[in-house]
Amino acid sequence: MSTATPRDSVAGDFVKLLLAIFLPPVGVFFEVGLGFHFWLNILLTILGYIPGIIHAVYIIAKK
């Protein structure tokens, strides 16, 4: 019997992708925490909403 965690589940990834589209830094935070990519995403989102979304989706899809 396999026990899937929310992080490994498809539903968890779907929620993170939705967050990446509407609130990019939150999606990145749930994926990597308060690291470099989180702060980079905040900067990208401030400079332009679309670059923040692209970066967030990339970070989530990369994992």
Short mmCIF file of all heavy atoms in Angstrom, two decimals:
data_model
loop_
_atom_site.label_atom_id
_atom_site.label_comp_id
_atom_site.label_asym_id
_atom_site.label_seq_id
_atom_site.Cartn_x
_atom_site.Cartn_y
_atom_site.Cartn_z
N MET A 1 0.84 -1.18 0.00
CA MET A 1 0.00 0.00 0.00
C MET A 1 0.88 1.24 0.00
O MET A 1 1.80 1.38 0.78
CB MET A 1 -0.89 -0.02 1.23
CG MET A 1 -1.88 1.11 1.25
SD MET A 1 -3.11 0.77 2.51
CE MET A 1 -3.16 2.33 3.29
N SER A 2 0.60 2.14 -0.89
CA SER A 2 1.39 3.36 -1.03
C SER A 2 0.69 4.52 -0.33
O SER A 2 -0.52 4.68 -0.44
CB SER A 2 1.56 3.68 -2.51
OG SER A 2 2.20 4.91 -2.67
N THR A 3 1.47 5.30 0.37
CA THR A 3 0.90 6.50 1.00
C THR A 3 1.45 7.72 0.29
O THR A 3 2.64 8.02 0.38
CB THR A 3 1.25 6.56 2.50
OG1 THR A 3 2.66 6.54 2.63
CG2 THR A 3 0.64 5.38 3.24
N ALA A 4 0.61 8.40 -0.43
CA ALA A 4 1.01 9.60 -1.16
C ALA A 4 0.82 10.82 -0.27
O ALA A 4 -0.19 10.96 0.40
CB ALA A 4 0.20 9.75 -2.44
N THR A 5 1.81 11.67 -0.27
CA THR A 5 1.69 12.92 0.47
C THR A 5 1.12 13.98 -0.47
O THR A 5 1.20 13.85 -1.69
CB THR A 5 3.07 13.37 0.99
OG1 THR A 5 3.92 13.61 -0.13
CG2 THR A 5 3.68 12.32 1.89
N PRO A 6 0.55 15.06 0.09
CA PRO A 6 0.02 16.12 -0.78
C PRO A 6 1.08 16.70 -1.71
O PRO A 6 0.78 17.10 -2.81
CB PRO A 6 -0.47 17.17 0.21
CG PRO A 6 -0.74 16.42 1.46
CD PRO A 6 0.24 15.29 1.48
N ARG A 7 2.33 16.71 -1.27
CA ARG A 7 3.41 17.25 -2.11
C ARG A 7 3.62 16.39 -3.34
O ARG A 7 3.98 16.89 -4.40
CB ARG A 7 4.68 17.35 -1.29
CG ARG A 7 5.82 17.93 -2.06
CD ARG A 7 7.04 18.07 -1.19
NE ARG A 7 8.06 18.72 -2.00
CZ ARG A 7 8.96 19.52 -1.54
NH1 ARG A 7 8.99 19.79 -0.27
NH2 ARG A 7 9.85 20.06 -2.32
N ASP A 8 3.44 15.08 -3.22
CA ASP A 8 3.67 14.18 -4.33
C ASP A 8 2.44 13.96 -5.19
O ASP A 8 2.53 13.37 -6.24
CB ASP A 8 4.15 12.82 -3.81
CG ASP A 8 5.51 12.94 -3.12
OD1 ASP A 8 6.26 13.85 -3.48
OD2 ASP A 8 5.79 12.12 -2.24
N SER A 9 1.31 14.42 -4.76
CA SER A 9 0.08 14.12 -5.49
C SER A 9 -0.15 15.08 -6.63
O SER A 9 0.35 16.20 -6.66
CB SER A 9 -1.12 14.17 -4.53
OG SER A 9 -1.37 15.50 -4.16
N VAL A 10 -0.93 14.63 -7.57
CA VAL A 10 -1.30 15.46 -8.72
C VAL A 10 -2.15 16.63 -8.26
O VAL A 10 -1.99 17.76 -8.74
CB VAL A 10 -2.04 14.62 -9.76
CG1 VAL A 10 -2.56 15.49 -10.90
CG2 VAL A 10 -1.14 13.52 -10.29
N ALA A 11 -3.04 16.41 -7.31
CA ALA A 11 -3.89 17.49 -6.80
C ALA A 11 -3.04 18.58 -6.14
O ALA A 11 -3.31 19.77 -6.30
CB ALA A 11 -4.90 16.94 -5.81
N GLY A 12 -2.01 18.19 -5.42
CA GLY A 12 -1.12 19.16 -4.78
C GLY A 12 -0.40 20.01 -5.82
O GLY A 12 -0.25 21.22 -5.66
N ASP A 13 0.06 19.37 -6.90
CA ASP A 13 0.72 20.12 -7.97
C ASP A 13 -0.25 21.06 -8.67
O ASP A 13 0.10 22.18 -9.03
CB ASP A 13 1.34 19.17 -9.00
CG ASP A 13 2.55 18.44 -8.45
OD1 ASP A 13 3.13 18.91 -7.45
OD2 ASP A 13 2.91 17.40 -9.03
N PHE A 14 -1.48 20.61 -8.84
CA PHE A 14 -2.50 21.45 -9.49
C PHE A 14 -2.78 22.69 -8.66
O PHE A 14 -2.86 23.80 -9.19
CB PHE A 14 -3.78 20.64 -9.71
CG PHE A 14 -4.86 21.43 -10.38
CD1 PHE A 14 -4.77 21.76 -11.72
CD2 PHE A 14 -5.97 21.86 -9.66
CE1 PHE A 14 -5.76 22.49 -12.34
CE2 PHE A 14 -6.97 22.59 -10.26
CZ PHE A 14 -6.87 22.91 -11.61
N VAL A 15 -2.87 22.53 -7.35
CA VAL A 15 -3.12 23.67 -6.46
C VAL A 15 -1.94 24.63 -6.51
O VAL A 15 -2.12 25.85 -6.59
CB VAL A 15 -3.38 23.19 -5.01
CG1 VAL A 15 -3.36 24.35 -4.04
CG2 VAL A 15 -4.69 22.45 -4.94
N LYS A 16 -0.71 24.10 -6.51
CA LYS A 16 0.47 24.96 -6.59
C LYS A 16 0.51 25.72 -7.92
O LYS A 16 0.89 26.89 -7.95
CB LYS A 16 1.74 24.15 -6.41
CG LYS A 16 1.98 23.77 -4.96
CD LYS A 16 3.33 23.16 -4.77
CE LYS A 16 3.26 21.68 -4.95
NZ LYS A 16 4.49 20.98 -4.61
N LEU A 17 0.11 25.07 -9.00
CA LEU A 17 0.08 25.76 -10.30
C LEU A 17 -0.99 26.86 -10.32
O LEU A 17 -0.77 27.92 -10.89
CB LEU A 17 -0.15 24.76 -11.43
CG LEU A 17 1.08 23.95 -11.81
CD1 LEU A 17 0.72 22.88 -12.82
CD2 LEU A 17 2.18 24.84 -12.36
N LEU A 18 -2.14 26.59 -9.72
CA LEU A 18 -3.16 27.65 -9.63
C LEU A 18 -2.64 28.83 -8.81
O LEU A 18 -2.85 29.99 -9.19
CB LEU A 18 -4.44 27.10 -9.01
CG LEU A 18 -5.36 26.32 -9.91
CD1 LEU A 18 -6.55 25.79 -9.13
CD2 LEU A 18 -5.82 27.17 -11.08
N LEU A 19 -1.98 28.55 -7.71
CA LEU A 19 -1.39 29.61 -6.91
C LEU A 19 -0.33 30.36 -7.70
O LEU A 19 -0.22 31.58 -7.59
CB LEU A 19 -0.79 29.06 -5.62
CG LEU A 19 -1.78 28.66 -4.54
CD1 LEU A 19 -1.06 27.92 -3.42
CD2 LEU A 19 -2.49 29.88 -4.00
N ALA A 20 0.43 29.64 -8.52
CA ALA A 20 1.47 30.27 -9.33
C ALA A 20 0.88 31.24 -10.33
O ALA A 20 1.51 32.24 -10.68
CB ALA A 20 2.30 29.21 -10.05
N ILE A 21 -0.31 30.98 -10.79
CA ILE A 21 -0.95 31.87 -11.76
C ILE A 21 -1.55 33.09 -11.06
O ILE A 21 -1.40 34.21 -11.54
CB ILE A 21 -2.02 31.10 -12.56
CG1 ILE A 21 -1.33 30.06 -13.44
CG2 ILE A 21 -2.86 32.05 -13.39
CD1 ILE A 21 -2.26 29.07 -14.09
N PHE A 22 -2.21 32.89 -9.94
CA PHE A 22 -2.90 34.00 -9.28
C PHE A 22 -2.01 34.75 -8.28
O PHE A 22 -2.11 35.97 -8.15
CB PHE A 22 -4.18 33.51 -8.60
CG PHE A 22 -5.20 33.03 -9.58
CD1 PHE A 22 -5.48 31.68 -9.71
CD2 PHE A 22 -5.85 33.92 -10.42
CE1 PHE A 22 -6.41 31.23 -10.62
CE2 PHE A 22 -6.77 33.49 -11.34
CZ PHE A 22 -7.06 32.13 -11.45
N LEU A 23 -1.18 34.04 -7.55
CA LEU A 23 -0.26 34.63 -6.56
C LEU A 23 1.10 33.94 -6.71
O LEU A 23 1.44 33.04 -5.93
CB LEU A 23 -0.79 34.43 -5.14
CG LEU A 23 -2.12 35.08 -4.81
CD1 LEU A 23 -2.66 34.53 -3.50
CD2 LEU A 23 -1.97 36.57 -4.75
N PRO A 24 1.90 34.35 -7.69
CA PRO A 24 3.14 33.64 -7.99
C PRO A 24 4.07 33.39 -6.80
O PRO A 24 4.55 32.27 -6.63
CB PRO A 24 3.81 34.51 -9.05
CG PRO A 24 2.70 35.26 -9.69
CD PRO A 24 1.68 35.47 -8.61
N PRO A 25 4.33 34.38 -5.92
CA PRO A 25 5.23 34.09 -4.81
C PRO A 25 4.71 33.00 -3.86
O PRO A 25 5.50 32.26 -3.29
CB PRO A 25 5.36 35.43 -4.08
CG PRO A 25 5.07 36.45 -5.12
CD PRO A 25 4.02 35.81 -5.98
N VAL A 26 3.40 32.90 -3.70
CA VAL A 26 2.85 31.88 -2.81
C VAL A 26 3.08 30.48 -3.40
O VAL A 26 3.44 29.55 -2.68
CB VAL A 26 1.34 32.13 -2.55
CG1 VAL A 26 0.74 31.02 -1.72
CG2 VAL A 26 1.14 33.47 -1.88
N GLY A 27 2.90 30.34 -4.70
CA GLY A 27 3.16 29.05 -5.35
C GLY A 27 4.62 28.64 -5.20
O GLY A 27 4.92 27.48 -4.92
N VAL A 28 5.53 29.59 -5.36
CA VAL A 28 6.96 29.30 -5.21
C VAL A 28 7.27 28.98 -3.76
O VAL A 28 8.04 28.06 -3.46
CB VAL A 28 7.82 30.47 -5.73
CG1 VAL A 28 9.28 30.26 -5.41
CG2 VAL A 28 7.61 30.65 -7.22
N PHE A 29 6.67 29.71 -2.83
CA PHE A 29 6.91 29.44 -1.41
C PHE A 29 6.52 28.01 -1.04
O PHE A 29 7.27 27.33 -0.34
CB PHE A 29 6.12 30.43 -0.55
CG PHE A 29 6.16 30.10 0.92
CD1 PHE A 29 7.29 30.36 1.65
CD2 PHE A 29 5.07 29.52 1.54
CE1 PHE A 29 7.34 30.04 3.01
CE2 PHE A 29 5.11 29.20 2.88
CZ PHE A 29 6.25 29.47 3.62
N PHE A 30 5.38 27.54 -1.52
CA PHE A 30 4.96 26.18 -1.20
C PHE A 30 5.86 25.14 -1.84
O PHE A 30 5.92 24.01 -1.37
CB PHE A 30 3.51 25.94 -1.61
CG PHE A 30 2.51 26.53 -0.66
CD1 PHE A 30 1.44 27.26 -1.13
CD2 PHE A 30 2.64 26.37 0.70
CE1 PHE A 30 0.51 27.81 -0.25
CE2 PHE A 30 1.73 26.92 1.59
CZ PHE A 30 0.66 27.64 1.11
N GLU A 31 6.57 25.51 -2.90
CA GLU A 31 7.46 24.57 -3.56
C GLU A 31 8.86 24.56 -2.95
O GLU A 31 9.42 23.49 -2.71
CB GLU A 31 7.54 24.89 -5.05
CG GLU A 31 8.30 23.87 -5.86
CD GLU A 31 7.61 22.53 -5.91
OE1 GLU A 31 6.37 22.47 -5.96
OE2 GLU A 31 8.32 21.51 -5.89
N VAL A 32 9.43 25.74 -2.68
CA VAL A 32 10.84 25.79 -2.26
C VAL A 32 11.06 26.47 -0.92
O VAL A 32 12.19 26.48 -0.43
CB VAL A 32 11.71 26.48 -3.34
CG1 VAL A 32 11.70 25.70 -4.61
CG2 VAL A 32 11.30 27.91 -3.57
N GLY A 33 10.05 27.08 -0.34
CA GLY A 33 10.24 27.77 0.94
C GLY A 33 10.79 29.16 0.76
O GLY A 33 10.66 29.77 -0.30
N LEU A 34 11.43 29.69 1.81
CA LEU A 34 11.92 31.07 1.79
C LEU A 34 13.36 31.16 1.27
O LEU A 34 14.19 31.83 1.85
CB LEU A 34 11.88 31.67 3.20
CG LEU A 34 10.50 32.05 3.72
CD1 LEU A 34 10.60 32.49 5.17
CD2 LEU A 34 9.87 33.12 2.88
N GLY A 35 13.62 30.51 0.17
CA GLY A 35 14.96 30.53 -0.41
C GLY A 35 15.12 31.62 -1.46
O GLY A 35 14.30 32.54 -1.61
N PHE A 36 16.20 31.48 -2.22
CA PHE A 36 16.54 32.44 -3.26
C PHE A 36 15.42 32.59 -4.28
O PHE A 36 15.09 33.71 -4.68
CB PHE A 36 17.84 32.00 -3.95
CG PHE A 36 18.14 32.77 -5.20
CD1 PHE A 36 18.62 34.06 -5.12
CD2 PHE A 36 17.93 32.21 -6.44
CE1 PHE A 36 18.89 34.79 -6.27
CE2 PHE A 36 18.19 32.92 -7.59
CZ PHE A 36 18.68 34.21 -7.51
N HIS A 37 14.84 31.48 -4.72
CA HIS A 37 13.81 31.54 -5.76
C HIS A 37 12.55 32.27 -5.29
O HIS A 37 11.88 32.92 -6.09
CB HIS A 37 13.47 30.15 -6.27
CG HIS A 37 14.56 29.57 -7.12
ND1 HIS A 37 14.85 30.03 -8.37
CD2 HIS A 37 15.45 28.58 -6.87
CE1 HIS A 37 15.86 29.36 -8.87
NE2 HIS A 37 16.24 28.48 -7.97
N PHE A 38 12.24 32.17 -4.02
CA PHE A 38 11.08 32.90 -3.49
C PHE A 38 11.30 34.41 -3.62
O PHE A 38 10.45 35.13 -4.11
CB PHE A 38 10.84 32.52 -2.03
CG PHE A 38 9.78 33.37 -1.36
CD1 PHE A 38 8.45 33.16 -1.64
CD2 PHE A 38 10.13 34.36 -0.46
CE1 PHE A 38 7.47 33.95 -1.03
CE2 PHE A 38 9.17 35.13 0.16
CZ PHE A 38 7.84 34.92 -0.14
N TRP A 39 12.47 34.88 -3.18
CA TRP A 39 12.75 36.32 -3.23
C TRP A 39 12.90 36.80 -4.67
O TRP A 39 12.48 37.91 -5.01
CB TRP A 39 13.98 36.65 -2.39
CG TRP A 39 13.72 36.36 -0.95
CD1 TRP A 39 14.24 35.34 -0.22
CD2 TRP A 39 12.81 37.06 -0.09
NE1 TRP A 39 13.72 35.37 1.06
CE2 TRP A 39 12.85 36.42 1.16
CE3 TRP A 39 11.99 38.16 -0.25
CZ2 TRP A 39 12.09 36.84 2.25
CZ3 TRP A 39 11.23 38.58 0.83
CH2 TRP A 39 11.30 37.93 2.06
N LEU A 40 13.49 35.97 -5.52
CA LEU A 40 13.58 36.32 -6.94
C LEU A 40 12.19 36.45 -7.54
O LEU A 40 11.92 37.37 -8.32
CB LEU A 40 14.40 35.26 -7.70
CG LEU A 40 14.51 35.45 -9.20
CD1 LEU A 40 15.20 36.76 -9.52
CD2 LEU A 40 15.23 34.28 -9.82
N ASN A 41 11.29 35.56 -7.16
CA ASN A 41 9.94 35.61 -7.70
C ASN A 41 9.20 36.85 -7.21
O ASN A 41 8.45 37.46 -7.98
CB ASN A 41 9.15 34.35 -7.33
CG ASN A 41 7.86 34.29 -8.07
OD1 ASN A 41 6.84 34.77 -7.58
ND2 ASN A 41 7.90 33.73 -9.27
N ILE A 42 9.41 37.26 -5.98
CA ILE A 42 8.79 38.50 -5.50
C ILE A 42 9.29 39.68 -6.33
O ILE A 42 8.49 40.51 -6.76
CB ILE A 42 9.07 38.71 -4.00
CG1 ILE A 42 8.23 37.73 -3.20
CG2 ILE A 42 8.80 40.15 -3.59
CD1 ILE A 42 8.16 37.96 -1.73
N LEU A 43 10.59 39.73 -6.58
CA LEU A 43 11.14 40.81 -7.41
C LEU A 43 10.56 40.78 -8.82
O LEU A 43 10.15 41.82 -9.35
CB LEU A 43 12.67 40.70 -7.45
CG LEU A 43 13.38 41.73 -8.31
CD1 LEU A 43 13.19 43.13 -7.72
CD2 LEU A 43 14.85 41.39 -8.42
N LEU A 44 10.50 39.61 -9.43
CA LEU A 44 9.96 39.50 -10.78
C LEU A 44 8.48 39.88 -10.81
O LEU A 44 8.02 40.51 -11.77
CB LEU A 44 10.13 38.08 -11.31
CG LEU A 44 11.56 37.68 -11.68
CD1 LEU A 44 11.63 36.19 -11.96
CD2 LEU A 44 12.06 38.49 -12.84
N THR A 45 7.74 39.51 -9.79
CA THR A 45 6.32 39.85 -9.74
C THR A 45 6.11 41.35 -9.58
O THR A 45 5.20 41.93 -10.17
CB THR A 45 5.62 39.07 -8.61
OG1 THR A 45 5.82 37.66 -8.82
CG2 THR A 45 4.13 39.35 -8.59
N ILE A 46 6.97 41.98 -8.80
CA ILE A 46 6.89 43.43 -8.64
C ILE A 46 7.22 44.14 -9.95
O ILE A 46 6.55 45.10 -10.33
CB ILE A 46 7.82 43.92 -7.50
CG1 ILE A 46 7.25 43.47 -6.15
CG2 ILE A 46 7.99 45.42 -7.53
CD1 ILE A 46 8.20 43.69 -4.99
N LEU A 47 8.23 43.65 -10.64
CA LEU A 47 8.64 44.28 -11.89
C LEU A 47 7.64 44.03 -13.02
O LEU A 47 7.57 44.82 -13.95
CB LEU A 47 10.03 43.77 -12.30
CG LEU A 47 11.16 44.21 -11.38
CD1 LEU A 47 12.47 43.57 -11.81
CD2 LEU A 47 11.30 45.72 -11.34
N GLY A 48 6.93 42.94 -12.93
CA GLY A 48 5.93 42.63 -13.95
C GLY A 48 5.25 41.33 -13.58
O GLY A 48 5.91 40.34 -13.28
N TYR A 49 3.97 41.32 -13.61
CA TYR A 49 3.21 40.16 -13.15
C TYR A 49 3.51 38.91 -14.00
O TYR A 49 3.66 37.81 -13.46
CB TYR A 49 1.72 40.51 -13.20
CG TYR A 49 0.81 39.48 -12.60
CD1 TYR A 49 0.85 39.21 -11.24
CD2 TYR A 49 -0.08 38.77 -13.40
CE1 TYR A 49 0.01 38.27 -10.69
CE2 TYR A 49 -0.92 37.82 -12.85
CZ TYR A 49 -0.88 37.57 -11.50
OH TYR A 49 -1.70 36.63 -10.96
N ILE A 50 3.61 39.07 -15.31
CA ILE A 50 3.84 37.94 -16.21
C ILE A 50 5.19 37.26 -15.96
O ILE A 50 5.25 36.03 -15.89
CB ILE A 50 3.69 38.38 -17.69
CG1 ILE A 50 2.29 38.93 -17.96
CG2 ILE A 50 4.01 37.22 -18.64
CD1 ILE A 50 1.17 37.95 -17.71
N PRO A 51 6.30 38.00 -15.80
CA PRO A 51 7.56 37.32 -15.47
C PRO A 51 7.49 36.52 -14.16
O PRO A 51 8.08 35.46 -14.04
CB PRO A 51 8.57 38.45 -15.36
CG PRO A 51 8.01 39.53 -16.19
CD PRO A 51 6.52 39.42 -16.05
N GLY A 52 6.74 37.02 -13.19
CA GLY A 52 6.56 36.29 -11.94
C GLY A 52 5.82 34.99 -12.15
O GLY A 52 6.17 33.96 -11.57
N ILE A 53 4.80 35.02 -13.00
CA ILE A 53 4.04 33.79 -13.30
C ILE A 53 4.93 32.79 -14.03
O ILE A 53 4.94 31.60 -13.69
CB ILE A 53 2.80 34.12 -14.15
CG1 ILE A 53 1.79 34.91 -13.34
CG2 ILE A 53 2.16 32.84 -14.68
CD1 ILE A 53 0.61 35.41 -14.15
N ILE A 54 5.67 33.25 -15.03
CA ILE A 54 6.53 32.34 -15.79
C ILE A 54 7.56 31.69 -14.88
O ILE A 54 7.78 30.47 -14.94
CB ILE A 54 7.22 33.11 -16.94
CG1 ILE A 54 6.18 33.53 -17.97
CG2 ILE A 54 8.31 32.27 -17.58
CD1 ILE A 54 6.68 34.50 -19.01
N HIS A 55 8.18 32.46 -14.02
CA HIS A 55 9.17 31.91 -13.09
C HIS A 55 8.54 30.92 -12.13
O HIS A 55 9.10 29.84 -11.87
CB HIS A 55 9.85 33.05 -12.32
CG HIS A 55 10.84 32.59 -11.32
ND1 HIS A 55 10.58 32.57 -9.98
CD2 HIS A 55 12.09 32.10 -11.48
CE1 HIS A 55 11.64 32.11 -9.34
NE2 HIS A 55 12.57 31.82 -10.24
N ALA A 56 7.37 31.23 -11.60
CA ALA A 56 6.70 30.34 -10.65
C ALA A 56 6.32 29.02 -11.31
O ALA A 56 6.55 27.95 -10.74
CB ALA A 56 5.46 31.02 -10.08
N VAL A 57 5.77 29.07 -12.51
CA VAL A 57 5.39 27.84 -13.21
C VAL A 57 6.64 27.02 -13.52
O VAL A 57 6.64 25.79 -13.38
CB VAL A 57 4.57 28.15 -14.48
CG1 VAL A 57 4.41 26.92 -15.35
CG2 VAL A 57 3.23 28.73 -14.11
N TYR A 58 7.72 27.68 -13.91
CA TYR A 58 8.97 26.97 -14.18
C TYR A 58 9.49 26.26 -12.93
O TYR A 58 9.87 25.09 -12.98
CB TYR A 58 10.02 27.95 -14.69
CG TYR A 58 11.39 27.33 -14.79
CD1 TYR A 58 11.70 26.44 -15.81
CD2 TYR A 58 12.38 27.63 -13.86
CE1 TYR A 58 12.94 25.86 -15.89
CE2 TYR A 58 13.62 27.05 -13.92
CZ TYR A 58 13.91 26.17 -14.95
OH TYR A 58 15.14 25.58 -15.01
N ILE A 59 9.49 26.94 -11.79
CA ILE A 59 9.99 26.35 -10.55
C ILE A 59 9.14 25.14 -10.15
O ILE A 59 9.65 24.10 -9.75
CB ILE A 59 10.02 27.40 -9.42
CG1 ILE A 59 11.06 28.46 -9.72
CG2 ILE A 59 10.26 26.76 -8.07
CD1 ILE A 59 12.49 27.94 -9.79
N ILE A 60 7.83 25.26 -10.28
CA ILE A 60 6.94 24.17 -9.88
C ILE A 60 7.06 22.99 -10.85
O ILE A 60 7.10 21.83 -10.45
CB ILE A 60 5.49 24.67 -9.76
CG1 ILE A 60 5.40 25.62 -8.58
CG2 ILE A 60 4.52 23.50 -9.59
CD1 ILE A 60 4.11 26.40 -8.51
N ALA A 61 7.16 23.27 -12.14
CA ALA A 61 7.25 22.21 -13.15
C ALA A 61 8.61 21.50 -13.10
O ALA A 61 8.70 20.33 -13.45
CB ALA A 61 7.01 22.78 -14.53
N LYS A 62 9.64 22.22 -12.67
CA LYS A 62 10.98 21.66 -12.61
C LYS A 62 11.09 20.54 -11.57
O LYS A 62 11.83 19.59 -11.74
CB LYS A 62 11.97 22.77 -12.30
CG LYS A 62 13.42 22.34 -12.33
CD LYS A 62 14.33 23.52 -12.13
CE LYS A 62 14.35 23.90 -10.66
NZ LYS A 62 15.40 24.83 -10.32
N LYS A 63 10.34 20.62 -10.50
CA LYS A 63 10.44 19.64 -9.41
C LYS A 63 9.78 18.34 -9.74
O LYS A 63 8.87 18.13 -10.32
CB LYS A 63 9.84 20.21 -8.12
CG LYS A 63 10.56 21.41 -7.61
CD LYS A 63 11.74 21.02 -6.82
CE LYS A 63 12.49 22.26 -6.36
NZ LYS A 63 13.46 22.08 -5.42
#
